[in-house]
Amino acid sequence: AGLRLRRRERSFGATLLGLALATTHLCAWAAGPLLGLVPAWMSLALAVGVSIALAGFAQRENDEPLWCVGFGGAAIAPFVANPDNVSATLIASYGLIVMLSACYALVGRDWPIANRVFAAVTALFVGALMAMPERNGGPLLAIGLPLVVAVAGVLPATRARHPVRSVRGPLRTLGVFAAVAALRAAFATQLPLSSLSVAGAIAAAGIVWLVVLDRTAHTPAGDLLGGLLPNTSTIAEWIEGGW
């Protein structure tokens, strides 16, 4: 119905497509991790396929509202379900799926609102992982999630033929939340690793971030948090150096 209505009412059709994505993600999450009706990998595979399909469609149509509605709906789906016994690994896996598919649609797109939505969703997943029990490794996964998205989802855009002016903004956003998660993990007391191992993991994350900065040094500077706050370029530079 959304595809059909887009021919006459583009915005309303895009909204229906976004709601379809959110509904699919919610049902996949409920059928897999929440209720155990199907294996978790099967429900996540469904979420992957639908997310990539809609991300590719939004990119082809150059439709920012469709991307914002679909990505936002997909991101909040597991939190709407609100299972009590969900693991940090499942939250991190779901967030990785949604954010990587979002990066595919954002490559080369100068979408200011979409970049702010991306920053908000990054904060949502990283914050949720930091708040999860330390013994399950939530704070450590909070460090890894934005770094994996940066390396696997955003960094490849610098080698593509698309414009790269929108690359540094999402990268800076991911780096800021990874740094916050690193501080959270540094003060944790019940992580499933020794203190020396945690310190090594944080140091390794910092080295990965230095490599990412080196690989993107030729790209134009971007805004922090999608330009949500004014005059954040200097702040972002200090954060990058602090990392």
Side-chain angles (χ1 to χ4, degrees):
L3 289 172
R4 184 178 181 85
L5 286 174
R6 275 177 57 85
R7 304 170 188 171
R8 295 170 294 175
E9 298 289 342
R10 183 180 176 91
S11 59
F12 185 62
T15 301
L16 286 182
L17 287 172
L19 291 174
L21 174 67
T23 303
T24 303
H25 275 258
L26 181 61
C27 292
W29 182 266
L34 183 60
L35 300 177
L37 301 178
V38 297
W41 66 266
M42 185 181 297
S43 62
L44 292 179
L46 173 63
V48 169
V50 176
S51 296
I52 292 176
L54 188 63
F57 181 76
Q59 185 183 44
R60 189 188 70 183
E61 296 291 315
N62 195 26
D63 194 329
E64 184 179 13
L66 172 60
W67 187 92
C68 291
V69 172
F71 177 55
I76 65 174
F79 301 98
V80 173
N82 193 26
D84 296 328
N85 58 347
V86 66
S87 67
T89 303
L90 275 176
I91 288 288
S93 301
Y94 185 92
L96 183 63
I97 290 169
V98 175
M99 294 178 70
L100 285 179
S101 63
C103 291
Y104 174 74
L106 278 177
V107 168
R109 304 289 179 179
D110 190 17
W111 287 351
I113 303 301
N115 280 316
R116 295 174 185 178
V117 174
F118 182 80
V121 170
T122 303
L124 176 66
F125 279 102
V126 173
L129 288 172
M130 288 193 298
M132 298 193 77
E134 295 178 357
R135 61 181 180 275
N136 294 334
L140 292 177
L141 290 172
I143 303 174
L145 174 61
L147 290 180
V148 172
V149 173
V151 172
V154 182
L155 194 59
T158 60
R159 300 190 299 269
R161 296 181 180 179
H162 303 286
V164 295
R165 58 182 176 176
S166 61
V167 170
R168 283 288 287 279
L171 276 178
R172 282 181 162 177
T173 297
L174 293 167
V176 166
F177 286 111
V180 173
L183 289 175
R184 167 68 178 86
F187 289 96
T189 58
Q190 299 180 359
L191 291 174
L193 297 176
S194 65
S195 298
L196 183 60
S197 298
V198 173
I202 295 174
I207 293 174
V208 170
W209 184 243
L210 286 176
V211 174
V212 170
L213 290 181
D214 180 67
R215 294 291 184 178
T216 58
H218 64 284
T219 62
D223 293 324
L224 179 63
L225 302 179
L228 187 61
L229 301 176
N231 302 322
T232 55
S233 294
T234 303
I235 298 175
E237 292 174 358
W238 277 96
I239 292 175
E240 288 177 351
W243 220 149

